[in-house]
Every structure is written in C-alpha cells, then in structure tokens.
Short mmCIF file of all heavy atoms in Angstrom, two decimals:
data_model
loop_
_atom_site.label_atom_id
_atom_site.label_comp_id
_atom_site.label_asym_id
_atom_site.label_seq_id
_atom_site.Cartn_x
_atom_site.Cartn_y
_atom_site.Cartn_z
N MET A 24 -34.92 6.43 53.74
CA MET A 24 -35.94 6.36 54.75
C MET A 24 -37.00 7.41 54.44
O MET A 24 -36.66 8.54 54.09
CB MET A 24 -35.30 6.59 56.13
CG MET A 24 -36.27 6.48 57.27
SD MET A 24 -35.59 6.82 58.92
CE MET A 24 -34.34 5.60 59.08
N THR A 25 -38.23 7.04 54.58
CA THR A 25 -39.31 7.98 54.31
C THR A 25 -39.39 9.03 55.41
O THR A 25 -38.87 8.82 56.52
CB THR A 25 -40.67 7.27 54.22
OG1 THR A 25 -40.99 6.73 55.51
CG2 THR A 25 -40.66 6.16 53.17
N GLN A 26 -40.06 10.12 55.13
CA GLN A 26 -40.23 11.18 56.14
C GLN A 26 -41.03 10.65 57.32
O GLN A 26 -40.73 10.97 58.47
CB GLN A 26 -40.92 12.41 55.52
CG GLN A 26 -40.98 13.59 56.46
CD GLN A 26 -39.61 14.04 56.94
OE1 GLN A 26 -38.68 14.19 56.16
NE2 GLN A 26 -39.47 14.25 58.24
N LYS A 27 -42.03 9.83 57.04
CA LYS A 27 -42.85 9.28 58.11
C LYS A 27 -41.98 8.44 59.05
O LYS A 27 -42.10 8.53 60.28
CB LYS A 27 -43.97 8.42 57.53
CG LYS A 27 -44.97 7.92 58.55
CD LYS A 27 -46.12 7.20 57.88
CE LYS A 27 -47.14 6.74 58.89
NZ LYS A 27 -48.27 6.06 58.26
N ALA A 28 -41.07 7.65 58.49
CA ALA A 28 -40.17 6.83 59.30
C ALA A 28 -39.21 7.71 60.09
O ALA A 28 -38.94 7.44 61.27
CB ALA A 28 -39.39 5.86 58.43
N LYS A 29 -38.71 8.77 59.47
CA LYS A 29 -37.81 9.69 60.16
C LYS A 29 -38.49 10.32 61.36
O LYS A 29 -37.86 10.56 62.39
CB LYS A 29 -37.31 10.77 59.21
CG LYS A 29 -36.32 10.28 58.20
CD LYS A 29 -35.92 11.38 57.24
CE LYS A 29 -35.02 10.83 56.14
NZ LYS A 29 -34.69 11.84 55.14
N ASN A 30 -39.78 10.60 61.22
CA ASN A 30 -40.54 11.24 62.29
C ASN A 30 -40.66 10.36 63.53
O ASN A 30 -40.81 10.87 64.64
CB ASN A 30 -41.93 11.64 61.82
CG ASN A 30 -41.90 12.75 60.80
OD1 ASN A 30 -40.91 13.46 60.67
ND2 ASN A 30 -42.97 12.91 60.05
N ILE A 31 -40.63 9.06 63.37
CA ILE A 31 -40.79 8.16 64.52
C ILE A 31 -39.50 7.43 64.90
O ILE A 31 -39.49 6.66 65.85
CB ILE A 31 -41.91 7.13 64.28
CG1 ILE A 31 -41.56 6.20 63.12
CG2 ILE A 31 -43.26 7.80 64.08
CD1 ILE A 31 -42.46 4.99 63.01
N GLU A 32 -38.41 7.73 64.21
CA GLU A 32 -37.15 7.02 64.44
C GLU A 32 -36.68 7.12 65.90
O GLU A 32 -36.32 6.10 66.51
CB GLU A 32 -36.07 7.54 63.50
CG GLU A 32 -34.76 6.81 63.63
CD GLU A 32 -33.72 7.32 62.66
OE1 GLU A 32 -33.85 8.44 62.13
OE2 GLU A 32 -32.76 6.57 62.43
N ASP A 33 -36.67 8.31 66.48
CA ASP A 33 -36.20 8.46 67.86
C ASP A 33 -37.06 7.67 68.84
O ASP A 33 -36.54 7.01 69.75
CB ASP A 33 -36.17 9.94 68.26
CG ASP A 33 -35.06 10.71 67.58
OD1 ASP A 33 -34.08 10.07 67.11
OD2 ASP A 33 -35.16 11.95 67.50
N LYS A 34 -38.36 7.74 68.66
CA LYS A 34 -39.27 7.02 69.54
C LYS A 34 -39.05 5.51 69.40
O LYS A 34 -38.98 4.78 70.39
CB LYS A 34 -40.72 7.36 69.24
CG LYS A 34 -41.72 6.69 70.18
CD LYS A 34 -43.15 7.04 69.83
CE LYS A 34 -43.58 8.19 70.69
NZ LYS A 34 -45.01 8.48 70.57
N PHE A 35 -38.90 5.05 68.17
CA PHE A 35 -38.66 3.62 67.92
C PHE A 35 -37.36 3.18 68.59
O PHE A 35 -37.31 2.14 69.25
CB PHE A 35 -38.60 3.34 66.42
CG PHE A 35 -38.25 1.90 66.11
CD1 PHE A 35 -39.24 0.93 66.09
CD2 PHE A 35 -36.93 1.52 65.89
CE1 PHE A 35 -38.92 -0.40 65.83
CE2 PHE A 35 -36.60 0.21 65.63
CZ PHE A 35 -37.59 -0.75 65.61
N ASN A 36 -36.30 3.95 68.43
CA ASN A 36 -35.01 3.60 69.02
C ASN A 36 -35.09 3.55 70.54
O ASN A 36 -34.50 2.68 71.17
CB ASN A 36 -33.92 4.56 68.56
CG ASN A 36 -33.56 4.36 67.11
OD1 ASN A 36 -33.77 3.29 66.55
ND2 ASN A 36 -33.04 5.39 66.49
N PHE A 37 -35.81 4.49 71.14
CA PHE A 37 -35.98 4.50 72.59
C PHE A 37 -36.72 3.25 73.06
O PHE A 37 -36.28 2.56 73.99
CB PHE A 37 -36.73 5.76 73.05
CG PHE A 37 -37.06 5.75 74.51
CD1 PHE A 37 -36.07 6.01 75.44
CD2 PHE A 37 -38.33 5.45 74.95
CE1 PHE A 37 -36.36 5.98 76.81
CE2 PHE A 37 -38.63 5.42 76.30
CZ PHE A 37 -37.65 5.68 77.23
N ILE A 38 -37.83 2.94 72.40
CA ILE A 38 -38.61 1.76 72.78
C ILE A 38 -37.79 0.49 72.57
O ILE A 38 -37.79 -0.40 73.43
CB ILE A 38 -39.94 1.71 72.00
CG1 ILE A 38 -40.84 2.85 72.44
CG2 ILE A 38 -40.65 0.36 72.18
CD1 ILE A 38 -42.07 3.07 71.58
N SER A 39 -37.08 0.42 71.48
CA SER A 39 -36.24 -0.74 71.19
C SER A 39 -35.19 -0.94 72.28
O SER A 39 -34.96 -2.06 72.75
CB SER A 39 -35.57 -0.56 69.83
OG SER A 39 -34.73 -1.64 69.55
N SER A 40 -34.55 0.13 72.71
CA SER A 40 -33.53 0.00 73.75
C SER A 40 -34.16 -0.43 75.07
O SER A 40 -33.56 -1.22 75.82
CB SER A 40 -32.75 1.31 73.92
OG SER A 40 -33.54 2.32 74.47
N GLN A 41 -35.36 0.02 75.36
CA GLN A 41 -36.04 -0.38 76.59
C GLN A 41 -36.42 -1.86 76.56
O GLN A 41 -36.28 -2.57 77.56
CB GLN A 41 -37.30 0.47 76.81
CG GLN A 41 -37.02 1.93 77.08
CD GLN A 41 -36.24 2.13 78.36
OE1 GLN A 41 -36.62 1.66 79.41
NE2 GLN A 41 -35.13 2.82 78.26
N VAL A 42 -36.86 -2.33 75.41
CA VAL A 42 -37.21 -3.75 75.26
C VAL A 42 -35.97 -4.61 75.44
O VAL A 42 -36.00 -5.62 76.17
CB VAL A 42 -37.89 -4.02 73.89
CG1 VAL A 42 -37.99 -5.50 73.61
CG2 VAL A 42 -39.26 -3.37 73.85
N LYS A 43 -34.86 -4.22 74.80
CA LYS A 43 -33.62 -4.98 74.94
C LYS A 43 -33.14 -4.99 76.39
O LYS A 43 -32.72 -6.03 76.91
CB LYS A 43 -32.54 -4.41 74.03
CG LYS A 43 -32.71 -4.83 72.60
CD LYS A 43 -31.72 -4.28 71.60
CE LYS A 43 -30.42 -3.80 72.03
NZ LYS A 43 -29.56 -3.31 70.95
N GLU A 44 -33.22 -3.85 77.05
CA GLU A 44 -32.79 -3.77 78.45
C GLU A 44 -33.61 -4.71 79.32
O GLU A 44 -33.07 -5.42 80.17
CB GLU A 44 -32.94 -2.33 78.94
CG GLU A 44 -32.42 -2.09 80.33
CD GLU A 44 -32.54 -0.63 80.74
OE1 GLU A 44 -32.17 0.25 79.95
OE2 GLU A 44 -33.01 -0.39 81.86
N THR A 45 -34.91 -4.75 79.10
CA THR A 45 -35.79 -5.64 79.86
C THR A 45 -35.52 -7.10 79.53
O THR A 45 -35.43 -7.94 80.42
CB THR A 45 -37.27 -5.30 79.58
OG1 THR A 45 -37.51 -3.94 79.96
CG2 THR A 45 -38.21 -6.22 80.33
N ALA A 46 -35.37 -7.40 78.25
CA ALA A 46 -35.17 -8.78 77.82
C ALA A 46 -33.87 -9.37 78.36
O ALA A 46 -33.81 -10.53 78.73
CB ALA A 46 -35.19 -8.87 76.29
N TYR A 47 -32.82 -8.56 78.39
CA TYR A 47 -31.50 -9.04 78.81
C TYR A 47 -31.22 -8.84 80.30
O TYR A 47 -30.12 -9.12 80.76
CB TYR A 47 -30.40 -8.36 77.98
CG TYR A 47 -30.34 -8.82 76.56
CD1 TYR A 47 -30.32 -7.89 75.52
CD2 TYR A 47 -30.27 -10.17 76.23
CE1 TYR A 47 -30.24 -8.31 74.20
CE2 TYR A 47 -30.20 -10.58 74.91
CZ TYR A 47 -30.18 -9.65 73.91
OH TYR A 47 -30.10 -10.05 72.61
N LYS A 48 -32.19 -8.37 81.03
CA LYS A 48 -32.00 -8.14 82.46
C LYS A 48 -31.51 -9.44 83.11
O LYS A 48 -32.05 -10.52 82.86
CB LYS A 48 -33.32 -7.70 83.09
CG LYS A 48 -33.22 -7.41 84.56
CD LYS A 48 -34.56 -7.00 85.12
CE LYS A 48 -34.41 -6.83 86.62
NZ LYS A 48 -35.70 -6.74 87.27
N ASP A 49 -30.49 -9.34 83.91
CA ASP A 49 -29.92 -10.46 84.65
C ASP A 49 -29.21 -11.48 83.77
O ASP A 49 -28.90 -12.58 84.23
CB ASP A 49 -30.97 -11.17 85.52
CG ASP A 49 -31.58 -10.22 86.55
OD1 ASP A 49 -30.85 -9.35 87.05
OD2 ASP A 49 -32.78 -10.36 86.85
N PHE A 50 -28.97 -11.18 82.49
CA PHE A 50 -28.17 -12.04 81.63
C PHE A 50 -26.70 -11.64 81.79
O PHE A 50 -26.38 -10.46 81.82
CB PHE A 50 -28.54 -11.86 80.15
CG PHE A 50 -29.69 -12.69 79.67
CD1 PHE A 50 -30.90 -12.69 80.31
CD2 PHE A 50 -29.55 -13.47 78.53
CE1 PHE A 50 -31.95 -13.44 79.84
CE2 PHE A 50 -30.59 -14.23 78.05
CZ PHE A 50 -31.80 -14.22 78.72
N THR A 51 -25.83 -12.61 81.83
CA THR A 51 -24.41 -12.30 81.79
C THR A 51 -24.03 -11.98 80.34
O THR A 51 -24.79 -12.28 79.41
CB THR A 51 -23.55 -13.48 82.27
OG1 THR A 51 -23.71 -14.57 81.34
CG2 THR A 51 -23.93 -13.93 83.67
N LYS A 52 -22.85 -11.41 80.15
CA LYS A 52 -22.37 -11.14 78.80
C LYS A 52 -22.31 -12.43 77.99
O LYS A 52 -22.71 -12.47 76.82
CB LYS A 52 -20.99 -10.49 78.86
CG LYS A 52 -20.41 -10.14 77.52
CD LYS A 52 -19.04 -9.50 77.65
CE LYS A 52 -18.55 -9.14 76.26
NZ LYS A 52 -17.19 -9.54 76.02
N GLU A 53 -21.84 -13.49 78.62
CA GLU A 53 -21.74 -14.79 77.94
C GLU A 53 -23.11 -15.33 77.56
O GLU A 53 -23.28 -15.89 76.48
CB GLU A 53 -21.00 -15.79 78.84
CG GLU A 53 -19.54 -15.48 79.05
CD GLU A 53 -19.28 -14.36 80.08
OE1 GLU A 53 -20.19 -14.04 80.88
OE2 GLU A 53 -18.17 -13.81 80.06
N GLU A 54 -24.09 -15.17 78.43
CA GLU A 54 -25.45 -15.63 78.13
C GLU A 54 -26.04 -14.86 76.95
O GLU A 54 -26.70 -15.45 76.09
CB GLU A 54 -26.35 -15.50 79.36
CG GLU A 54 -26.04 -16.51 80.44
CD GLU A 54 -26.76 -16.22 81.74
OE1 GLU A 54 -27.04 -15.04 82.05
OE2 GLU A 54 -27.04 -17.19 82.46
N LYS A 55 -25.81 -13.55 76.91
CA LYS A 55 -26.29 -12.75 75.78
C LYS A 55 -25.66 -13.23 74.48
O LYS A 55 -26.35 -13.39 73.47
CB LYS A 55 -25.95 -11.27 75.98
CG LYS A 55 -26.74 -10.58 77.06
CD LYS A 55 -26.26 -9.14 77.18
CE LYS A 55 -26.70 -8.52 78.46
NZ LYS A 55 -26.16 -7.17 78.65
N GLU A 56 -24.35 -13.45 74.51
CA GLU A 56 -23.65 -13.91 73.31
C GLU A 56 -24.16 -15.27 72.85
O GLU A 56 -24.38 -15.49 71.66
CB GLU A 56 -22.14 -13.95 73.57
CG GLU A 56 -21.53 -12.58 73.70
CD GLU A 56 -20.09 -12.60 74.20
OE1 GLU A 56 -19.57 -13.69 74.52
OE2 GLU A 56 -19.49 -11.51 74.28
N GLU A 57 -24.38 -16.18 73.79
CA GLU A 57 -24.89 -17.51 73.45
C GLU A 57 -26.31 -17.42 72.89
O GLU A 57 -26.65 -18.09 71.92
CB GLU A 57 -24.86 -18.42 74.69
CG GLU A 57 -25.42 -19.80 74.47
CD GLU A 57 -24.56 -20.69 73.57
OE1 GLU A 57 -23.50 -20.25 73.08
OE2 GLU A 57 -24.98 -21.83 73.33
N PHE A 58 -27.12 -16.60 73.50
CA PHE A 58 -28.50 -16.41 73.04
C PHE A 58 -28.51 -15.90 71.60
O PHE A 58 -29.24 -16.44 70.75
CB PHE A 58 -29.22 -15.44 73.98
CG PHE A 58 -30.63 -15.14 73.57
CD1 PHE A 58 -31.62 -16.12 73.62
CD2 PHE A 58 -30.98 -13.87 73.13
CE1 PHE A 58 -32.92 -15.84 73.25
CE2 PHE A 58 -32.27 -13.59 72.75
CZ PHE A 58 -33.24 -14.57 72.81
N LEU A 59 -27.70 -14.89 71.31
CA LEU A 59 -27.64 -14.35 69.95
C LEU A 59 -27.08 -15.37 68.97
O LEU A 59 -27.55 -15.46 67.83
CB LEU A 59 -26.83 -13.06 69.93
CG LEU A 59 -27.49 -11.89 70.66
CD1 LEU A 59 -26.55 -10.70 70.72
CD2 LEU A 59 -28.80 -11.50 70.01
N ARG A 60 -26.11 -16.16 69.40
CA ARG A 60 -25.56 -17.21 68.54
C ARG A 60 -26.66 -18.22 68.18
O ARG A 60 -26.80 -18.61 67.02
CB ARG A 60 -24.40 -17.94 69.24
CG ARG A 60 -23.72 -18.97 68.35
CD ARG A 60 -22.71 -19.81 69.14
NE ARG A 60 -23.35 -20.72 70.07
CZ ARG A 60 -23.97 -21.87 69.73
NH1 ARG A 60 -24.04 -22.23 68.48
NH2 ARG A 60 -24.50 -22.64 70.66
N LEU A 61 -27.44 -18.60 69.17
CA LEU A 61 -28.53 -19.56 68.93
C LEU A 61 -29.62 -18.96 68.03
O LEU A 61 -30.17 -19.67 67.17
CB LEU A 61 -29.11 -20.04 70.25
CG LEU A 61 -28.18 -20.90 71.08
CD1 LEU A 61 -28.76 -21.12 72.48
CD2 LEU A 61 -27.89 -22.23 70.40
N LEU A 62 -29.92 -17.69 68.21
CA LEU A 62 -30.91 -17.05 67.33
C LEU A 62 -30.43 -17.01 65.89
O LEU A 62 -31.21 -17.23 64.96
CB LEU A 62 -31.21 -15.62 67.81
CG LEU A 62 -32.13 -15.50 69.01
CD1 LEU A 62 -32.27 -14.03 69.40
CD2 LEU A 62 -33.48 -16.11 68.75
N ARG A 63 -29.13 -16.72 65.69
CA ARG A 63 -28.57 -16.73 64.34
C ARG A 63 -28.66 -18.12 63.72
O ARG A 63 -28.99 -18.27 62.54
CB ARG A 63 -27.13 -16.23 64.34
CG ARG A 63 -27.01 -14.73 64.49
CD ARG A 63 -25.60 -14.23 64.25
NE ARG A 63 -24.70 -14.56 65.33
CZ ARG A 63 -24.53 -13.86 66.44
NH1 ARG A 63 -25.21 -12.75 66.61
NH2 ARG A 63 -23.68 -14.24 67.36
N LYS A 64 -28.41 -19.14 64.51
CA LYS A 64 -28.50 -20.52 64.03
C LYS A 64 -29.94 -20.86 63.65
O LYS A 64 -30.20 -21.44 62.60
CB LYS A 64 -27.98 -21.47 65.12
CG LYS A 64 -27.89 -22.91 64.67
CD LYS A 64 -27.23 -23.75 65.76
CE LYS A 64 -27.09 -25.18 65.33
NZ LYS A 64 -26.40 -25.99 66.34
N LEU A 65 -30.86 -20.47 64.49
CA LEU A 65 -32.28 -20.68 64.23
C LEU A 65 -32.70 -19.98 62.94
O LEU A 65 -33.37 -20.56 62.08
CB LEU A 65 -33.10 -20.16 65.41
CG LEU A 65 -34.60 -20.33 65.35
CD1 LEU A 65 -34.97 -21.78 65.54
CD2 LEU A 65 -35.25 -19.48 66.41
N SER A 66 -32.28 -18.72 62.80
CA SER A 66 -32.60 -17.95 61.60
C SER A 66 -32.03 -18.62 60.36
O SER A 66 -32.70 -18.70 59.32
CB SER A 66 -32.05 -16.53 61.75
OG SER A 66 -32.27 -15.79 60.59
N SER A 67 -30.81 -19.11 60.46
CA SER A 67 -30.18 -19.80 59.33
C SER A 67 -30.97 -21.05 58.94
O SER A 67 -31.16 -21.32 57.76
CB SER A 67 -28.74 -20.17 59.70
OG SER A 67 -28.14 -20.89 58.66
N ASN A 68 -31.41 -21.78 59.93
CA ASN A 68 -32.21 -22.98 59.66
C ASN A 68 -33.48 -22.64 58.88
O ASN A 68 -33.85 -23.34 57.93
CB ASN A 68 -32.59 -23.71 60.95
CG ASN A 68 -31.40 -24.39 61.59
OD1 ASN A 68 -30.36 -24.58 60.98
ND2 ASN A 68 -31.56 -24.75 62.84
N PHE A 69 -34.15 -21.56 59.28
CA PHE A 69 -35.36 -21.15 58.58
C PHE A 69 -35.05 -20.70 57.16
O PHE A 69 -35.80 -20.97 56.23
CB PHE A 69 -36.10 -20.05 59.34
CG PHE A 69 -36.95 -20.59 60.45
CD1 PHE A 69 -36.60 -20.37 61.77
CD2 PHE A 69 -38.11 -21.30 60.17
CE1 PHE A 69 -37.38 -20.86 62.80
CE2 PHE A 69 -38.90 -21.81 61.20
CZ PHE A 69 -38.54 -21.58 62.52
N LYS A 70 -33.92 -19.98 56.98
CA LYS A 70 -33.54 -19.52 55.65
C LYS A 70 -33.29 -20.72 54.74
O LYS A 70 -33.75 -20.76 53.61
CB LYS A 70 -32.32 -18.62 55.71
CG LYS A 70 -31.92 -18.11 54.33
CD LYS A 70 -30.69 -17.24 54.37
CE LYS A 70 -30.25 -16.72 53.05
NZ LYS A 70 -30.66 -17.39 51.84
N ILE A 71 -32.55 -21.69 55.23
CA ILE A 71 -32.25 -22.90 54.45
C ILE A 71 -33.55 -23.60 54.06
O ILE A 71 -33.74 -23.99 52.92
CB ILE A 71 -31.32 -23.84 55.24
CG1 ILE A 71 -29.93 -23.22 55.37
CG2 ILE A 71 -31.26 -25.22 54.59
CD1 ILE A 71 -29.03 -23.92 56.38
N GLU A 72 -34.45 -23.72 55.01
CA GLU A 72 -35.74 -24.38 54.76
C GLU A 72 -36.55 -23.59 53.75
O GLU A 72 -37.14 -24.16 52.82
CB GLU A 72 -36.49 -24.53 56.08
CG GLU A 72 -37.54 -25.59 56.13
CD GLU A 72 -37.06 -26.99 55.77
OE1 GLU A 72 -35.92 -27.38 56.07
OE2 GLU A 72 -37.86 -27.70 55.17
N ASN A 73 -36.58 -22.27 53.89
CA ASN A 73 -37.34 -21.41 52.99
C ASN A 73 -36.78 -21.48 51.57
O ASN A 73 -37.54 -21.47 50.60
CB ASN A 73 -37.32 -19.97 53.51
CG ASN A 73 -38.21 -19.07 52.68
OD1 ASN A 73 -39.38 -19.36 52.46
ND2 ASN A 73 -37.66 -17.97 52.22
N ASP A 74 -35.45 -21.54 51.44
CA ASP A 74 -34.81 -21.58 50.12
C ASP A 74 -35.20 -22.81 49.32
O ASP A 74 -35.14 -22.81 48.09
CB ASP A 74 -33.28 -21.50 50.25
CG ASP A 74 -32.82 -20.11 50.66
OD1 ASP A 74 -33.64 -19.16 50.66
OD2 ASP A 74 -31.63 -19.97 51.03
N LYS A 75 -35.62 -23.85 49.99
CA LYS A 75 -36.04 -25.07 49.29
C LYS A 75 -37.27 -24.84 48.43
O LYS A 75 -37.50 -25.54 47.46
CB LYS A 75 -36.36 -26.19 50.30
CG LYS A 75 -35.16 -26.73 51.02
CD LYS A 75 -35.60 -27.81 52.01
CE LYS A 75 -34.46 -28.33 52.82
NZ LYS A 75 -34.93 -29.34 53.80
N TYR A 76 -38.07 -23.83 48.80
CA TYR A 76 -39.34 -23.61 48.13
C TYR A 76 -39.32 -22.43 47.15
O TYR A 76 -40.33 -22.10 46.55
CB TYR A 76 -40.45 -23.40 49.17
CG TYR A 76 -40.55 -24.59 50.10
CD1 TYR A 76 -40.03 -24.51 51.40
CD2 TYR A 76 -41.12 -25.78 49.70
CE1 TYR A 76 -40.10 -25.61 52.26
CE2 TYR A 76 -41.20 -26.88 50.53
CZ TYR A 76 -40.68 -26.77 51.82
OH TYR A 76 -40.76 -27.85 52.66
N ILE A 77 -38.17 -21.82 47.01
CA ILE A 77 -38.08 -20.65 46.10
C ILE A 77 -37.62 -21.11 44.74
O ILE A 77 -36.87 -21.96 44.53
CB ILE A 77 -37.14 -19.59 46.68
CG1 ILE A 77 -37.75 -19.02 47.95
CG2 ILE A 77 -36.89 -18.49 45.67
CD1 ILE A 77 -36.88 -17.98 48.64
#
C-alpha cells in the first residue's frame, strides 16, 4: 500500500462502514445474505461475459 493510501485508510474504512450501515438498515440477516449471494451471481455473470472478449 502506498503512503498516500495509508494516510486515508482510516477515513476510508469509517466512511465505508457508515455506507454499509445505511445500506443494510432494516435488512434481516437472511436478507443481507441473499443480497450478497445475488451480487456474487451478478458479478460472475459479468465475468463470464467479459471473458468471451479476452
């Protein structure tokens, strides 16, 4: 990690945790797990599609 990145790491982590807290507000544990499962599936679909052109 560069020094510049190290200098902002704490601030980035704080902001990231705040965004996650806001995004998942009122989600059950099961809803969070399902949401992440679907995002992984979506990401996999894009990777498969992208690999066709490499």
